């Protein structure tokens, strides 16, 4: 779990807004959060940290390697704690829920393709977009 020492070792001062925003990511049941999600969580907790500060801190956390940013189909940036393990994403087109997965075969195939084309893979992000086929999906929006 990341804490004030992680902020300091990343070159960031452990200010109250930074600590509170880090706590939102550590305690949220939802792993992928937009800046607006973080801001709403802070409001719920009674914090007076403004949306501009949230955006600024999220950018600082990304630059420091504490958070990873993804751009899913919604067009909004989504952030998650960077825990050092690579994974890909499966995004539900019905409700927007994001599932994380890792598949060694997919990873090997991507490396093979880049090598075949004369490249050396440095990093990548794979996002698959699909419709949920579970009849009883608890995440599907209820129709009225």
């Amino acid at each position: 779990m990341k804490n004030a020492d992680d902020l300091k070792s990343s070159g960031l001062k452990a200010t109250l807004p930074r600590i509170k925003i880090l706590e939102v990511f550590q305690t949220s049941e939802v792993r992928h959060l937009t800046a607006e999600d973080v801001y709403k969580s802070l409001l719920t907790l009674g914090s007076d940290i403004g949306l501009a500060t949230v955006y600024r801190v999220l950018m600082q956390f990304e630059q420091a390697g504490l958070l990873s940013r993804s751009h899913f189909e919604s067009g909004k940036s989504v952030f998650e704690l960077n825990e050092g393990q690579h994974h890909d994403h499966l995004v539900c087109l019905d409700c927007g829920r994001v599932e994380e997965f890792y598949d060694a075969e997919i990873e090997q195939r991507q490396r093979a393709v880049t090598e075949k084309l004369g490249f050396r893979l440095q990093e990548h992000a794979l996002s698959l977009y699909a419709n949920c086929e579970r009849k009883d999906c608890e995440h599907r929006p209820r129709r009225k």
Side-chain angles (χ1 to χ4, degrees):
M1 202 158 177
K2 298 186 184 300
N3 57 31
D5 290 334
D6 292 313
L7 291 175
K8 291 175 187 172
S9 67
S10 298
L12 298 171
K13 290 182 183 176
T15 63
L16 185 62
R18 288 179 181 147
I19 291 169
K20 291 288 185 194
I21 290 170
L22 190 57
E23 286 174 358
V24 168
F25 281 94
Q26 293 172 332
T27 60
S28 175
E29 291 183 19
V30 178
R31 183 162 161 78
H32 301 88
L33 300 170
T34 65
E36 291 80 9
D37 294 332
V38 173
Y39 177 68
K40 288 176 189 171
S41 292
L42 291 168
L43 286 177
T44 302
L45 297 170
S47 176
D48 63 350
I49 299 170
L51 185 56
T53 300
V54 170
Y55 275 105
R56 187 171 53 256
V57 169
L58 292 178
M59 296 304 116
Q60 292 167 346
F61 282 5
E62 180 188 15
Q63 290 173 344
L66 296 172
L67 295 179
S68 297
R69 182 189 343 197
S70 297
H71 301 280
F72 299 129
E73 199 156 275
S74 69
K76 291 185 177 182
S77 293
V78 179
F79 298 87
E80 64 183 295
L81 284 174
N82 180 358
E83 296 173 328
Q85 295 178 324
H86 173 75
H87 59 269
D88 295 308
H89 298 100
L90 178 61
V91 182
C92 179
L93 292 170
D94 297 319
C95 70
R97 186 170 52 93
V98 179
E99 292 274 345
E100 296 177 354
F101 70 95
Y102 175 82
D103 185 296
E105 194 172 326
I106 290 173
E107 298 302 317
Q108 176 55 39
R109 185 73 188 116
Q110 290 175 115
R111 280 190 294 282
V113 167
T114 57
E115 288 171 12
K116 181 180 176 185
L117 296 173
F119 292 88
R120 186 176 50 189
L121 186 62
Q122 297 298 315
E123 73 177 71
H124 76 280
L126 175 66
S127 299
L128 304 175
Y129 297 89
N131 295 100
C132 178
E133 294 192 348
R134 289 180 258 166
K135 302 266 186 257
D136 60 349
C137 177
E138 70 269 16
H139 303 286
R140 185 175 290 129
R142 305 282 182 234
R143 293 195 172 96
K144 295 181 181 177

